[in-house]
């Protein structure tokens, strides 16, 4: 019997989850990723000698299958954040285990995808039937955020169900500045522009000596309103807010790096319309925007394809 060939678009958590299941079922699988690295929104920046997560900050291991897969492939690189996350009133938030990869959270995609065939730095721009880069595939599983998938699949313009997120990374001279030592992060759901601010030094071994590294995520409102603006203005506004909140002197600032996440988190579930024959969509949009949920969405989509479910996964 002919071996089924599968193209997976996107090497984020959903792509890696789907590709692994298809490969284990004996399919020939190629994962196409437009960026140079793996991980998608589970992203890490190597910056000035430090490793900073500018996408997913930490991951949970609530699901047994995900926990087992991550523990097996990450081994001693799996670490846990012990300092608390506070809300905007200074109350500690419940902690069910917040994990990170010692070499950067993007590494969990690499670890979970060990042995799979990746073609990175290769954006899929045009899919003629199921022909990608001159190769014909029996099945295409796209894990690119839905508006990008819909465009590739030649579907009519669709609603964007994701909220954007403006992110800012900051480096300061001096270790454990302000109130960074006592808390890992502040999660502010009050509508304040600074929805998330965190001190990366709590991911031990990631930040060099004599430095405080901070990560900031703006609220959905702030991010939506200022997404298309030049980054200088919104970076300055977020910088001022983080320094105020964490009692860090602006004089200690060494460097800033802005990043725009256009499709950061799902805002609403949508009905995925019928795709062209042999096409499937998987990703956090099918469940919720969390690292482990995205991997499970990819894995479950692949299982349903193997079980011969309909085109509408
Ligand atoms: C700022 C931010 C903070 C977050 N914080 C957390 C957190 O702390 N904890 C948590 O659990 N979750 C967090 N999340 C959510 C989590 O990161 C996502 O839900 C999850 O990583 C989504 O995985 P995915 O595989 O569905 O999509 P993605 O990670 O977006 O993967 C899709 C991949 O497709 C690729 N792609 C797109 N178009 C093409 C193309 N044409 N050709 C080839 N490749 C293409 C992209 O480059 C990308 O790698 C956060 C997300 C963001 C943005």
């Amino acid at each position: 019997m002919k071996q089924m060939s599968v193209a997976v678009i996107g090497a984020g958590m959903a792509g890696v989850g789907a590709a692994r299941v298809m490969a284990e079922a004996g399919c020939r699988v190629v994962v196409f990723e437009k960026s140079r690295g793996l991980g998608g929104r589970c992203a890490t920046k190597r910056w000035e000698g430090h490793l900073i997560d500018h996408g997913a900050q930490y991951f949970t291991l609530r699901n047994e299958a995900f926990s087992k897969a991550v523990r097996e492939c990450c081994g001693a690189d799996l670490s846990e954040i012990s300092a608390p996350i506070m809300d905007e009133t200074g109350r500690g938030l419940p902690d069910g285990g917040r994990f990170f990869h010692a070499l950067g959270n993007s590494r969990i995609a690499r670890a979970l995808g060990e042995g799979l065939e990746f073609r990175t730095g290769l954006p899929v721009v045009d899919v003629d039937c199921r022909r990608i880069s001159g190769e014909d595939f029996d099945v295409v599983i796209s894990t690119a955020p839905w508006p990008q998938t819909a465009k590739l699949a030649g579907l009519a313009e669709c609603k964007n169900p994701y909220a954007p997120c403006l992110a800012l990374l900051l480096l300061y001279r001096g270790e454990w500045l302000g109130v960074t030592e006592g808390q890992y992060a502040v999660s502010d759901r009050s509508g304040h522009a600074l929805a998330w601010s965190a001190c990366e030094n709590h991911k031990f071994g990631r930040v060099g000596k004599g430095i405080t590294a901070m990560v900031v995520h703006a609220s959905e409102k702030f991010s939506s309103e200022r997404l298309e603006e030049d980054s200088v203005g919104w970076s300055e506004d977020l910088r001022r807010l983080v320094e105020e909140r964490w009692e860090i002197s602006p004089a200690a600032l060494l460097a800033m790096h802005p990043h725009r996440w256009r499709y950061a988190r799902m805002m609403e579930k949508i009905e995925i319309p019928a795709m062209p024959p042999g096409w499937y969509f998987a990703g956090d949009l099918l469940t919720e925007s969390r690292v482990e949920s995205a991997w499970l969405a990819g894995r479950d989509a692949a299982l349903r394809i193997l079980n011969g479910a309909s085109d509408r996964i």
Side-chain angles (χ1 to χ4, degrees):
M1 208 168 80
K2 184 181 165 275
Q3 188 189 33
M4 179 155 75
S5 61
V6 181
V8 175
I9 302 175
M13 296 305 292
V16 165
R20 169 68 67 212
V21 170
M22 297 311 259
E24 280 177 0
C27 304
R28 167 172 149 59
V29 182
V30 181
V31 185
F32 295 91
E33 170 53 53
K34 72 174 177 186
S35 307
R36 272 180 298 136
L38 313 184
R41 278 172 273 163
C42 200
T44 305
K45 184 171 176 60
R46 186 178 286 277
W47 185 38
E48 316 249 337
H50 316 287
L51 283 170
I52 303 180
D53 295 319
H54 60 298
Q57 300 288 284
Y58 61 86
F59 48 90
T60 49
L61 295 176
R62 296 176 197 159
N63 176 275
E64 208 179 306
F66 183 67
S67 174
K68 186 166 175 284
V70 168
R71 287 178 196 281
E72 274 174 14
C73 72
C74 296
D77 287 329
L78 181 67
S79 306
E80 201 169 348
I81 300 166
S82 54
I85 298 179
M86 310 307 229
D87 70 9
E88 64 279 5
T89 68
R91 224 180 11 221
L93 296 179
D95 180 3
R98 301 176 180 118
F99 297 89
F100 66 98
H101 192 291
L103 303 175
N105 286 350
S106 61
R107 285 293 189 109
I108 55 166
R110 200 194 288 188
L112 289 165
E114 184 75 41
L116 295 171
E117 182 179 343
F118 291 100
R119 303 219 186 129
T120 54
L122 201 71
V124 176
V125 284
D126 183 26
V127 187
D128 182 10
C129 280
R130 294 185 298 279
R131 193 172 177 81
I132 303 179
S133 277
E135 251 181 89
D136 289 314
F137 293 90
D138 299 310
V139 164
V140 174
I141 306 175
S142 178
T143 67
W146 175 247
Q148 297 172 333
T149 293
K151 200 168 165 208
L152 282 174
L155 301 178
E157 202 157 300
C158 66
K159 194 171 173 200
N160 173 16
Y162 304 84
C165 176
L166 295 178
L168 184 66
L169 318 184
L170 305 110
L171 295 181
Y172 292 92
R173 184 179 295 108
E175 222 163 311
W176 299 117
L177 296 181
V179 295
T180 54
E181 198 160 7
Q183 56 191 13
Y184 157 54
V186 178
S187 173
D188 188 332
R189 293 275 129 204
S190 69
H192 191 279
L194 213 59
W196 172 266
S197 49
C199 176
E200 286 284 283
N201 296 52
H202 287 283
K203 295 173 183 166
F204 297 114
R206 295 266 211 93
V207 177
K209 280 215 167 312
I211 296 290
T212 295
M214 303 297 294
V215 175
V216 173
H217 293 154
S219 68
E220 282 152 21
K221 183 169 183 290
F222 183 101
S223 300
S224 305
E225 285 172 0
R226 305 190 63 175
L227 185 66
E228 307 303 340
E229 266 181 37
D230 187 285
S231 62
V232 175
W234 58 257
S235 295
E236 271 305 306
D237 290 345
L238 293 175
R239 178 189 66 76
R240 268 194 298 275
L241 291 170
V242 77
E243 288 166 359
E244 219 169 83
R245 175 157 282 173
W246 290 77
E247 298 170 30
I248 296 173
S249 162
L253 183 71
L254 286 174
M256 291 202 286
H257 178 84
H259 186 89
R260 275 187 190 84
W261 292 103
R262 192 166 291 277
Y263 305 114
R265 287 174 189 269
M266 65 173 279
M267 287 294 284
E268 54 174 313
K269 267 210 167 135
I270 57 160
E271 178 81 4
I272 302 295
M275 305 271 282
W279 270 78
Y280 300 87
F281 169 70
D284 63 345
L285 184 61
L286 299 181
T287 51
E288 57 177 341
S289 286
R290 289 200 303 118
V291 169
E292 69 172 313
S293 305
W295 182 83
L296 289 166
R299 182 201 69 165
D300 292 351
L303 289 172
R304 288 198 294 271
I305 293 166
L306 290 170
N307 288 334
S310 78
D311 282 357
R312 300 183 63 177
I313 296 292

